[in-house]
């Protein structure tokens, strides 16, 4: 079954939402209306508590949003997604990252074949390999135990493993895991500077094994290794993760060191596959499995919870509401844990590469906004950086606040301070501070009347700034898996409503094509016609 092609603007719910958007109350008014709002607009699931009551919605808006998702055909689309139908139609592929974390007895078919046994065969290979490396049983070409792992990959072959490995630092073993992604030679050299060839394992990750950045970096790393240890060392120091087996063998990687991927998993959704090898190396295969289990639990929730109690569905609908009816251009993601430092960058690829589309599933230009801009940084750092604009700027920026009840190292004093800020910010963003409150505060401080009147306008906070709070018991491999899967399903729901194909990424091709033309020009001193700006820039670089 393919995804329905429903123009959302022609649904009755869209019309209703457009009307409702004209008559919005402020968040302060919504909260003043009654005490049940917080309970009405929150969802408890496993160790997740999602409070979306500080959003500009009421029961009528919620009902119309749920009407929109139903009219968009979400329920059938969700079945097609989970059952391996070719929903990535522009690339002719299924979208089955969920199969990578399915239970062993699941039966998920692609072209009539149950893919789950193959998934478990790769999982077993990951387990055996990572256990042997961690225990120092599988040794380097010099007979030493490996101390360092360098992941060479970019985009989905970098961001997921890099984000998760940092997020699970608390659960890490002795292996130092580094990430080399940018084709910037300085990045490459800075990583190589930190490691010793005799005890370094390189994991080359590329779904296609054609990506310029990854291949260039892998070739440079190989040369560096060969200079230090000789050609024969490559077989012991390089492993690869890819769908392109021929290219891997041509690179000199032995078949026992190859971890296959499948074309039914998109790069940005691939951390659950062998792309997660550096994660399993860093935190051990059991923690990697726990990450997968957490994601599988979230898959179950998304697949079966009623739409109004369904976390990815409700979060996606809030995004649609702000994006399409209230004019928001971006959303902030603010994790209140330093461990999730890379989550916003990871979500930028997941969300913006998936839903940054302007042609609908019928091949027509859309007449409405799609793909929101994602950005963020951990709190409390971000409070001292860009929060000014969220509190007192002119832009509407709905924000996700992600916090954990338990600190991993158990430092209660610090954690209370961190979480006090977490709660305070969403309250301040919602409630603001009125002119009367500002005046009262300044009077209390004994400020002179003229000076006070001058200052009052600058110290007012209008409030009414929407936030969604995700309060999770503890950052574990399991809850992290569920959190990431939650965002994956949110992306899916948004794509269904926006009537776009979320799983291709044609938009990254043009720049790649032009870069290879320009590179040829640099190598061959040939010159091709560009616009005058590009011509001038290339000439200046070459001179
Ligand atoms: O940037 C485009 C893209 O295809 C991403 O979707 C992907 O994650 C990345 O390049 C890397 O691709 P590969 O794993 O094939 O090297």
């Amino acid at each position: 079954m393919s995804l329905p092609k429903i123009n959302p603007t022609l649904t009755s719910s869209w019309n209703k939402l457009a009307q409702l958007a004209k008559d919005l109350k402020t968040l302060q008014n919504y909260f003043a209306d009654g005490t049940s709002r917080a309970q009405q607009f929150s969802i408890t699931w496993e160790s997740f508590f999602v409070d979306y009551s500080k959003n500009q919605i009421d029961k009528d808006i919620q009902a119309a949003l749920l009407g929109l998702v139903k009219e968009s055909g979400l329920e059938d689309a969700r079945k097609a997604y989970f059952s391996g139908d070719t929903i990535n139609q522009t690339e002719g592929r299924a979208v089955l990252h969920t199969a990578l974390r399915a239970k062993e007895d699941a039966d998920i078919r692609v072209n009539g074949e149950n893919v789950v046994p193959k998934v478990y065969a790769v999982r077993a290979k990951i387990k055996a390999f990572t256990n042997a490396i961690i225990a120092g049983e599988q040794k380097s070409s010099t007979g030493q135990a490996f101390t360092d792992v360098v992941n060479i990959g970019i985009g989905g072959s970098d961001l997921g493993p890099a984000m998760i490995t940092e997020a699970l630092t608390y659960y890490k073993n002795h292996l130092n895991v580094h990430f080399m992604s940018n084709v910037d030679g300085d990045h490459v050299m800075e990583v190589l500077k930190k490691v010793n060839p005799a005890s370094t394992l390189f994991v080359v990750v590329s779904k296609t094994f054609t990506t310029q950045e990854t291949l260039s970096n892998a070739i440079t790393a190989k040369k560096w290794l060969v200079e230090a240890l000789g050609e024969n060392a490559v077989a012991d120091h390089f492993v690869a993760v890819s769908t392109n087996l021929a290219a891997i063998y041509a690179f000199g990687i032995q078949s026992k060191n190859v971890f296959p991927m499948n074309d039914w998993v998109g790069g940005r959704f691939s951390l659950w596959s062998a792309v997660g090898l550096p994660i399993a190396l860093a935190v051990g295969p059991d923690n990697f499995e726990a990450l997968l289990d957490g994601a599988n639990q979230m898959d179950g929730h998304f697949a079966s919870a009623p739409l109004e109690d369904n976390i990815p569905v409700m979060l996606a609908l809030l995004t649609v509401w702000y994006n399409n009816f209230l004019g928001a251009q971006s959303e902030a993601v603010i994790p209140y844990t330093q461990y999730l430092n890379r989550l916003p960058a990871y979500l930028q690829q997941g969300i913006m590469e998936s839903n940054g589309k302007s042609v609908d599933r019928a091949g027509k230009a859309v007449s409405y906004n799609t793909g929101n801009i994602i950005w963020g940084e951990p709190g409390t750092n971000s409070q001292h950086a860009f929060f000014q604009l969220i509190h007192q700027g002119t832009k509407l920026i709905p924000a996700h606040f992600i916090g954990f009840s338990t600190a991993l190292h158990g430092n209660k004093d610090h954690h209370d301070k961190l979480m006090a800020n977490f709660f305070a910010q969403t309250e301040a963003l919602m409630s603001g501070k009125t002119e009367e409150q500002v005046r009262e505060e300044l009077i209390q401080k004994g400020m002179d009347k003229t000076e006070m009147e001058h200052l009052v306008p600058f110290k007012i906070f209008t409030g009414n700034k929407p936030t969604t709070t995700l309060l999770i018991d503890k950052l574990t491999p399991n809850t992290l898996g569920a959190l990431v899967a939650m965002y994956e399903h949110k992306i899916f729901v948004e794509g269904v409503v926006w009537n776009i194909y979320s799983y291709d990424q044609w938009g990254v091709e043009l720049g790649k094509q032009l870069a290879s033309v320009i590179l040829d020009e640099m190598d061959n001193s040939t010159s091709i016609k560009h616009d005058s700006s590009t011509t001038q820039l290339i000439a200046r670089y070459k001179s």
Side-chain angles (χ1 to χ4, degrees):
M1 194 183 81
S2 52
L3 295 180
K5 297 183 172 65
I6 297 163
N7 179 340
T9 65
L10 302 180
T11 61
S12 62
S13 305
W14 188 279
N15 213 352
K16 180 137 206 232
L17 286 162
Q19 293 307 317
L20 290 165
K22 289 183 190 153
D23 198 20
L24 266 193
K25 287 190 197 165
T26 62
L27 282 174
Q28 293 94 325
N29 277 330
Y30 283 133
F31 273 94
D33 269 2
T35 50
S36 64
R37 184 174 173 85
Q39 293 84 53
Q40 228 172 37
F41 297 115
S42 359
I43 302 174
T44 309
W45 172 78
E46 298 290 334
S47 74
F48 281 50
F49 184 69
V50 180
D51 179 341
Y52 61 98
S53 64
K54 293 192 186 85
N55 280 288
Q56 295 169 342
I57 58 162
D58 58 17
K59 276 281 162 202
D60 291 341
I61 296 167
Q62 187 192 39
L65 286 168
L66 288 165
L68 176 63
V69 88
K70 284 183 196 145
E71 284 192 83
S72 305
L74 177 72
E75 277 145 320
D76 284 344
R78 190 173 51 180
K79 276 189 209 124
Y81 171 48
F82 278 106
S83 54
D85 293 354
T86 310
I87 64 165
N88 175 2
Q89 227 170 305
T90 51
E91 294 183 326
R93 292 172 183 166
V95 175
L96 273 181
H97 41 277
T98 50
L100 298 168
R101 58 237 189 178
K103 295 278 180 233
E104 201 162 2
D105 58 0
D107 185 340
I108 303 169
R109 293 190 174 250
V110 176
N111 299 326
E113 185 197 353
N114 181 11
V115 296
V116 178
K118 279 196 178 146
V119 166
Y120 273 82
V122 176
R123 279 168 69 159
K125 187 168 178 176
I126 294 174
K127 190 168 193 157
F129 176 79
T130 54
N131 271 334
I133 297 284
I134 295 165
E137 288 157 5
Q138 181 161 335
K139 300 205 190 305
S140 81
S141 61
T142 59
Q144 283 168 257
F146 288 103
T147 55
D148 291 79
V149 175
V150 176
N151 188 81
I152 306 179
I154 195 164
S157 299
D158 165 72
L159 284 162
M163 181 274 285
I164 300 277
T165 303
E166 181 171 355
L168 296 182
T169 302
Y170 180 77
Y171 302 89
K172 253 182 66 23
N173 54 39
H174 63 283
L175 290 172
N176 303 308
V177 182
H178 313 264
F179 290 87
M180 186 190 281
S181 53
N182 202 326
V183 74
D184 178 358
D186 290 338
H187 184 199
V188 173
M189 292 323 294
E190 288 302 334
V191 174
L192 293 179
K193 230 166 75 179
K194 292 186 200 141
V195 296
N196 172 2
S199 57
T200 299
L201 178 73
F202 292 94
V203 183
V204 187
V205 187
S206 176
K207 184 175 161 184
T208 54
F209 225 80
T210 57
T211 305
Q212 184 206 48
E213 291 89 338
T214 303
L215 293 192
S216 305
N217 291 349
I219 289 166
T220 303
K222 183 175 162 185
K223 197 163 158 264
W224 174 85
L225 184 90
V226 168
E227 271 165 21
L229 305 176
E231 191 70 43
N232 288 343
V234 175
D236 292 320
H237 288 255
F238 274 84
V239 303
V241 182
S242 184
T243 54
N244 187 350
L245 302 185
I248 298 178
Y249 298 142
F251 186 88
I253 294 173
Q254 343 179 44
S255 60
K256 76 174 173 65
N257 285 343
V258 173
F259 294 82
M261 287 173 78
N262 297 95
D263 71 359
W264 37 261
V265 177
R268 54 192 175 276
F269 302 97
S270 64
L271 71 90
W272 324 98
S273 70
V275 171
L277 194 66
I279 304 171
L281 284 164
V283 297
D286 292 345
N287 281 322
F288 182 60
E289 297 273 323
L291 180 86
L292 267 51
D293 283 348
N296 174 260
Q297 282 167 261
M298 179 54 80
D299 295 343
H301 167 74
F302 175 58
S304 62
L307 298 182
E308 64 275 20
D309 297 324
N310 196 308
I311 300 171
V313 171
M314 283 317 304
L315 296 185
L317 289 176
L318 288 167
T319 292
V320 170
W321 175 235
Y322 290 117
N323 191 59
N324 296 100
F325 299 95
L326 304 186
Q329 293 289 330
S330 77
E331 276 177 330
V333 175
I334 319 289
Y336 274 68
T337 165
Q338 199 57 34
Y339 289 121
L340 291 182
N341 188 33
R342 298 280 284 156
L343 181 68
Y346 167 78
L347 291 177
Q348 280 172 340
Q349 188 199 15
I351 295 172
M352 291 158 80
E353 195 165 86
S354 299
N355 286 340
K357 312 284 166 67
S358 52
V359 172
D360 70 14
R361 289 197 286 266
K364 300 269 180 288
V366 297
S367 58
Y368 45 88
N369 272 330
T370 62
N372 46 330
I373 300 161
I374 295 297
W375 56 287
E377 275 286 315
T380 58
N381 298 358
S382 48
Q383 291 172 204
H384 297 270
F386 54 71
F387 266 51
Q388 166 67 38
L389 184 142
I390 304 186
H391 279 289
Q392 285 190 316
T394 55
K395 304 226 161 17
L396 171 63
I397 302 169
H400 281 187
F401 278 64
I402 304 171
F404 295 86
S405 302
T406 312
L408 295 183
H409 286 278
N411 190 325
K412 189 168 171 358
D413 172 52
H414 277 267
H415 204 61
D416 284 350
K417 285 174 185 154
L418 178 73
M419 295 308 281
N421 277 280
F422 176 76
F423 298 122
Q425 287 296 330
T426 65
E427 182 171 29
L429 285 163
M430 189 276 281
S431 321
K433 194 187 271 184
T434 62
E435 188 172 335
E436 294 66 44
Q437 288 170 318
V438 173
R439 210 169 255 121
E440 183 57 31
E441 247 180 45
L442 295 179
I443 291 170
Q444 294 298 326
K445 282 190 180 153
M447 189 175 278
D448 158 88
K449 190 160 184 326
T450 324
E451 197 188 339
M452 181 176 86
E453 287 312 322
H454 170 71
L455 213 51
V456 165
F458 303 101
K459 297 191 73 123
I460 294 169
F461 290 68
T462 56
N464 195 31
K465 313 282 187 195
T467 59
T468 300
T469 301
L470 286 98
L471 183 60
I472 303 167
D473 282 356
K474 191 172 164 181
L475 179 60
T476 64
N478 182 278
T479 58
L480 181 61
L483 181 70
V484 175
M486 176 197 87
Y487 278 109
E488 290 180 340
H489 299 318
K490 176 178 181 291
I491 292 167
F492 170 78
V493 177
E494 289 163 11
V496 168
V497 173
W498 286 329
N499 191 27
I500 53 176
Y501 287 118
S502 299
Y503 298 99
D504 60 22
Q505 55 286 317
W506 302 112
V508 298
E509 294 303 322
L510 177 59
K512 281 192 204 170
Q513 274 168 12
L514 282 177
S516 86
V517 170
I518 293 174
L519 185 62
D520 276 348
E521 278 181 73
M522 288 174 177
D523 291 348
N524 307 325
S525 318
T526 52
S527 149
I528 290 157
K529 191 160 172 36
H530 300 281
D531 61 86
S532 61
S533 161
T534 310
T535 305
Q536 170 177 271
L537 290 164
I538 296 172
R540 192 171 167 86
Y541 174 77
K542 282 166 89 173
S543 67

